[in-house]
Amino acid sequence: MRDDDRRPRGRFAPEDAEEAALRRLLAEAGPRPPLAEDDVERLAAATREALHRRAGPSAAPAAGEGPGAAGARSARLPTARAGRRWGGASNPRRAVWLPLAALLALALGIGAWWALSRGAGAAPVARVEAVRGTLTANATEGDSPLAAGAVVERGTRLCTTGGKSGARLRLAGGVELRLDGDTCVRAEAGERVALLRGGLYADTGAAGGSRGAALAVDTPFGTVRDVGTRFAVRLLAAGVAVAVREGAVLVGDGHRAEAGEGLLLGRDGTVERRAVPPWGPEWSWVVETAGGFAIEGRTLADFLDWSVRESGWHLRYADAGLAAEAEGIVLHGDLGALRPDEAPFVVLPGAGLEGRLDDGVLIVSRPARR
Amino acid sequence: MTVDHSADLDLVRRMLAGDGAACDLFAERYPRALYRFALSRLAGDRELASDTAQTAMTKALARLDTYRGDASLLTWLCACCRNEILMAFRGRRGVPAAVPIDGDDGEAPHDPALERPPGQEAALLAAERAERVHLVLDLLPPQQARALEMKYLEHLPVREIAGRLGVTAKAAESLLSRGRSAFRTMHERLANERLPSLEACDAR
């Protein structure tokens, strides 16, 4: 069944007065002159930084822009104050200096966690990696706020409160789970959660997780099962909406959604599909809850891989030589509070390169001569 | 004619209250429009436009609590940017002067090249209308703006618009419908006001 313009076809199909006026306005104005997207992105990054500063001292500042290059094969960013991006326990630079005793305690804690997770009863099934805003655990003994590092037991209901809240968890099965604001899940097992309200994002291939780790998300409208993938699930009044960034998921009675697809499983069992690009505003909250990336000593290629993975972009180098060079450029500094989709436009100029975003593709090139 | 800027006031109030979604929306849309405004007045000088737009944005956000809704938020931001442009002119003699958006700028640098011979007035008004359309498109959600351009400038059918945007035809129709409505509202607001005075955004 063709789903096209509802009006009669043809060059002289009638249109109403409003459309005619709009057409005249746009025709008279002509196309928008293209802008240098890296300039726009820089201004957008500066805008976000200014908004963070307005928010108060609890917001970690961005690393700034326009870094100077420290040499042909290294790029240095201005070191930011207090390197935490948001509410997270992980500050990669600070982690290096943990005392040995603390490291041993951490190792023992993880070992105990794994040992316990194999048993039945109130066994730990997840660990909180980062919290923004408020995350509470609704266990049998009542509500309690959770911070990064907390261990979540089987059967615990976790809720983020407020639209600005978010959390990142690591399930015992290795899957990374991110919770949007105003979201509640129940941790059923190391590889199973129930989505009670709001939306979650799952990455079964994130660092520390095993490729192909399974995850099942129970919803009132059916279970979403991953097939080694990254995807988001959101409960709506009309049903459950799934969007797949990578891999595939099975929803309900075997409805399959692949990367770049969205699927709405309605209350009445109907299925609606739509295209969902792996990047863009739909994934903004997911990008916001991503973990940080310690660039000190890492290559530009590694950094760009992280950035495009978290942003849902593809990466393209303007020439083959650049791709090889990126493997040899070593970065220094700290990204601070820069998001994965902001950081390239700060880091690349420091490496003497430019980045431009074109329809979901990050194009890395050498600067044009003026 | 009194123009309603309650939507902009609401956005600013939410930003001041720390609403992340409001801040995200602002950061997604307004930088592009402000940069375009600066670039058009600085003869395409990217570096200067970037610097002045960034300074203007930073100062404006530091004084966001002074926005009263007397003009649209974009107009208010453009007024701040115009101050920065004027300061840039004073610091860089010889840079070609640009034409202010409303042509009524007591502090614009005097340049004989700006005096308009008869007949050029119509061209300038057309350029002003074009810029207004482009700024409004910059402020729309990007997919809505692209959908409008594809339909009314490139004359593409809905099915092709849907394919290029990666959405269903139904979603494309919805984008066009919402885009038309949002464009009409924003364009009417901008077309019925003048930029505030140059003193509106002086830094303390």
Side-chain angles (χ1 to χ4, degrees):
Chain A
M1 183 180 192
R2 295 163 73 88
D3 187 9
D4 207 332
D5 284 332
R6 294 196 184 94
R7 297 189 187 84
R9 299 192 190 187
R11 200 171 155 191
F12 302 106
E15 60 183 14
D16 59 26
E18 180 198 334
E19 276 201 84
L22 178 59
R23 188 185 293 280
R24 276 195 302 274
L25 258 178
L26 288 176
E28 186 191 66
R32 281 182 284 176
L35 300 177
E37 289 301 320
D38 50 351
D39 289 346
V40 177
E41 288 296 332
R42 261 195 293 275
L43 181 57
T47 299
R48 289 190 188 98
E49 183 183 347
L51 287 167
H52 280 137
R53 278 201 299 271
R54 257 211 86 94
S58 58
E65 59 179 8
R73 281 295 162 255
S74 68
R76 180 170 294 280
L77 289 178
T79 301
R81 301 187 298 277
R84 291 193 307 176
R85 189 168 168 270
W86 61 273
S90 60
N91 179 335
R93 301 192 74 188
R94 198 174 294 167
V96 174
W97 306 108
L98 278 178
L100 182 60
L103 283 171
L104 284 174
L106 187 63
L108 286 171
I110 291 174
W113 173 46
W114 275 111
L116 285 171
S117 70
R118 295 175 193 276
V125 294
R127 182 170 174 272
V128 179
E129 288 191 338
V131 176
R132 180 180 62 188
T134 306
L135 176 70
T136 56
N138 306 102
T140 52
E141 57 270 22
D143 293 359
S144 57
L146 293 184
V151 172
V152 179
E153 293 179 343
R154 180 176 299 170
T156 300
R157 194 166 77 118
L158 299 169
C159 293
T160 55
T161 306
K164 288 166 55 187
S165 289
R168 193 172 68 246
L169 314 172
R170 178 74 55 185
L171 301 184
V175 174
E176 180 188 280
L177 205 64
R178 301 179 201 174
L179 307 184
D180 198 0
D182 287 328
T183 292
C184 283
V185 300
R186 189 172 55 245
E188 307 284 16
E191 295 171 352
R192 192 178 202 100
V193 297
L195 178 60
L196 306 174
R197 187 177 76 220
L200 63 81
Y201 174 81
D203 185 341
T204 62
S210 53
R211 238 359 185 164
L215 174 69
V217 179
D218 294 322
T219 79
F221 311 104
T223 298
V224 181
R225 297 176 193 282
D226 88 291
V227 186
T229 190
R230 294 185 292 156
F231 63 97
V233 183
R234 183 169 296 278
L235 273 185
L236 306 171
V240 60
V242 175
V244 184
R245 230 182 187 185
E246 185 183 340
V249 296
L250 295 174
V251 184
D253 296 331
H255 301 289
R256 186 180 174 99
E258 307 267 352
E261 267 195 301
L263 184 153
L264 173 64
L265 179 61
R267 288 179 171 275
D268 54 0
T270 54
V271 173
E272 252 183 64
R273 292 177 184 274
R274 62 191 176 106
V276 179
W279 54 277
E282 176 132 9
W283 304 98
S284 184
W285 75 268
V286 172
V287 178
E288 194 65 36
T289 48
F293 184 89
I295 64 166
E296 181 66 34
R298 302 292 295 273
T299 66
L300 179 64
D302 284 347
F303 160 75
L304 289 173
D305 283 345
W306 166 79
S307 168
V308 299
R309 178 186 168 80
E310 289 297 345
S311 306
W313 299 333
H314 293 287
L315 176 63
R316 195 168 83 209
Y317 292 96
D319 59 74
L322 256 184
E325 279 181 42
E327 297 283 353
I329 296 176
V330 178
L331 303 176
H332 301 282
D334 190 330
L335 291 179
L338 282 173
R339 290 165 41 133
D341 54 355
E342 296 168 340
F345 305 104
V346 176
V347 172
L348 284 170
L353 299 172
E354 284 185 344
R356 175 172 62 91
L357 195 62
D358 183 9
D359 203 23
V361 179
L362 177 65
I363 302 170
V364 178
S365 60
R366 303 176 202 280
R369 290 182 189 175
R370 293 195 181 180
Chain B
M1 175 180 170
T2 303
V3 182
D4 179 16
H5 298 298
S6 55
D8 284 348
L9 262 177
D10 181 62
L11 175 65
V12 168
R13 280 188 196 125
R14 285 165 54 207
M15 289 167 66
L16 290 170
D19 183 331
C23 292
D24 284 347
L25 187 150
F26 180 87
E28 186 187 84
R29 315 251 185 98
Y30 281 84
R32 178 176 298 275
L34 192 65
Y35 177 70
R36 185 183 298 283
F37 174 86
L39 193 66
S40 71
R41 277 150 185 73
L42 291 167
D45 186 329
R46 280 177 52 187
E47 187 177 342
L48 190 55
S50 275
D51 288 345
T52 52
Q54 185 173 327
T55 305
M57 181 67 86
T58 303
K59 286 183 178 176
L61 290 177
R63 293 174 52 82
L64 194 58
D65 54 339
T66 68
Y67 175 69
R68 296 280 176 260
D70 299 327
S72 71
L73 184 56
L74 176 65
T75 302
W76 188 78
L77 288 169
C78 288
C80 297
C81 192
R82 191 170 61 171
N83 286 345
E84 297 303 319
I85 291 170
L86 289 172
M87 285 196 278
F89 284 152
R90 290 176 192 133
R92 287 170 56 147
R93 295 183 185 280
V95 173
V99 180
I101 193 169
D102 60 1
D104 181 21
D105 183 346
E107 290 203 29
H110 175 69
D111 185 333
L114 284 181
E115 292 169 3
R116 303 163 198 164
Q120 281 202 1
E121 187 73 27
L124 285 166
L125 286 173
E128 188 178 309
R129 284 195 298 270
E131 182 183 47
R132 191 179 303 127
V133 167
H134 296 157
L135 291 177
V136 171
L137 288 171
D138 283 341
L139 290 181
L140 291 181
Q143 280 206 324
Q144 284 182 18
R146 278 302 292 137
L148 291 178
E149 287 171 322
M150 281 193 267
K151 173 117 173 108
Y152 297 108
L153 275 177
E154 299 170 43
H155 310 294
L156 297 180
V158 171
R159 192 171 43 237
E160 183 154 355
I161 294 172
R164 291 195 186 192
L165 293 177
V167 300
T168 63
K170 189 182 283 189
E173 286 277 10
S174 174
L175 280 171
L176 285 166
S177 173
R178 285 182 282 135
R180 283 191 292 265
S181 174
F183 182 94
R184 183 182 64 239
T185 302
M186 268 193 234
H187 188 262
E188 275 174 10
R189 280 168 36 201
L190 277 189
N192 285 289
E193 66 185 15
R194 302 183 68 193
L195 282 174
S197 65
L198 289 173
E199 292 74 28
C201 200
D202 284 344
R204 285 181 182 166

